[in-house]
Amino acid sequence: VKGPGKNSYGIYISQAQAASVENNTVTTAVAGNAGIYASMASSPANAFVGDNVISNFGTGIAFFGNGGKYRGNLTRSCPTAFS
């Protein structure tokens, strides 16, 4: 987890060329920013987020920059599932 409280992320990827985040359970006791956050450096983005369970974050999965792909994720108590 990166950061305390409302500035927290379950999994944080910064300026990666490629990333795959699969089969994780991410939760927090205090609602945080994003369960899985990915800021991709490459274009087109080579990020994949799949089959994760994400609970109690403002956003379940957040891609920034060049985006990415997602499949089969479950969010609970996340007002925004994906952005």
Side-chain angles (χ1 to χ4, degrees), residues 49-76:
V49 177
D51 301 316
N52 298 285
V53 177
I54 306 158
S55 303
N56 203 33
F57 284 90
T59 301
I61 300 167
F63 288 115
F64 180 78
N66 294 312
K69 298 182 186 295
Y70 63 99
R71 180 196 73 210
N73 298 284
L74 175 66
T75 60
R76 181 178 53 143

Side-chain angles (χ1 to χ4, degrees), residues 1-27:
V1 173
K2 179 184 185 325
K6 292 188 177 188
N7 293 318
S8 64
Y9 301 91
I11 297 173
Y12 187 90
I13 301 163
S14 179
Q15 298 302 307
Q17 295 297 318
S20 180
V21 179
E22 301 178 70
N23 301 310
N24 297 284
T25 299
V26 183
T27 189

